[in-house]
Amino acid sequence: MLADALPRNRNARTGLIALGGALAMLGLGFASVPLYRLFCQVTGFGGTTMKVSEAQASTVKVAAGSISVRFDANVDRGMPWKFAPQQVTQEMRIGTRKMAFYKAENLSDKPVTGVASFNVEPEYVGKYFNKIQCFCFERQTLQPGQSIDMPVIYYVDPKILDDPEAKNVEQITLSYTFHVAAE
């Protein structure tokens, strides 16, 4: 039945198949960014931190080990903001919840909306770095001269101590970059 629906001309049939393949690739191209982001959030791949709920975080047991978290901040070229962590590092027991603050200030004479991207280094510990609350991926609009404090609540999963590759990591870097948000 499907064969009856296709044109009998070989060239036309080949053209339709090629067009269908091109449209499928175009669709996959558009879907690849959200699918990749979802994959990274689920697996921690590429230094992507895990996002957990307050209820999930409350079940985590504090471990005997400790670790240092270093905070880094950047702004993309063309972003008229000053953006910096309010602390350089925090020492913490693995499994405890901590809060860190970043400060952003609009240095321009007009409102600017930005969005932050983030990553964790070393990349392979991203799956153990869990954010409970974060300003990342939310549009932030600052009026001219306005500054705001932005909190991040996080913990490092005690499972890091069971990973032979990650158990000896002494410091994790959480880095954010603010970009001008697309209209």
Side-chain angles (χ1 to χ4, degrees):
M1 290 182 220
L2 181 60
D4 293 338
L6 289 175
R8 295 194 186 273
N9 181 335
R10 260 183 126 159
N11 290 337
R13 188 177 1 196
T14 302
L16 282 175
I17 291 170
L19 177 64
L23 289 174
M25 287 189 286
L26 181 66
L28 284 173
F30 279 107
S32 65
V33 172
L35 289 174
Y36 181 73
R37 180 179 293 158
L38 179 64
F39 170 77
C40 290
Q41 288 174 342
V42 169
T43 64
F45 181 76
T48 301
T49 61
M50 308 300 284
K51 184 169 172 128
V52 297
S53 69
E54 185 68 40
Q56 289 172 297
S58 66
T59 65
V60 174
K61 304 285 186 241
V62 176
S66 64
I67 197 160
S68 171
V69 177
R70 188 175 84 76
F71 302 95
D72 179 55
N74 304 283
V75 290
D76 201 11
R77 191 178 350 211
M79 179 70 165
W81 285 12
K82 180 179 176 184
F83 176 58
Q86 293 186 14
Q87 61 287 302
V88 177
T89 60
Q90 284 183 339
E91 297 293 325
M92 64 181 296
R93 296 262 317 264
I94 293 174
T96 58
R97 283 182 266 181
K98 294 290 264 185
M99 182 184 293
F101 286 92
Y102 285 77
K103 185 177 204 78
E105 180 182 3
N106 182 354
L107 302 175
S108 77
D109 59 354
K110 60 184 178 192
V112 177
T113 300
V115 65
S117 60
F118 62 90
N119 72 319
V120 169
E121 288 292 330
E123 285 185 5
Y124 57 88
V125 300
K127 60 186 168 190
Y128 302 114
F129 194 93
N130 295 278
K131 291 187 296 184
I132 302 164
Q133 179 183 331
C134 179
F135 56 87
C136 49
F137 293 126
E138 293 178 13
R139 297 167 64 90
Q140 307 284 336
T141 300
L142 297 182
Q143 298 303 315
Q146 180 185 7
S147 67
I148 59 169
D149 293 331
M150 295 181 284
V152 178
I153 301 173
Y154 68 94
Y155 70 92
V156 177
D157 194 318
K159 291 178 186 170
I160 194 171
L161 299 171
D162 299 329
D163 184 337
E165 190 175 347
K167 71 178 180 182
N168 294 322
V169 171
E170 295 177 0
Q171 187 173 66
I172 296 173
T173 300
L174 176 62
S175 180
Y176 287 97
T177 301
F178 253 103
H179 313 270
V180 174
E183 292 301 320

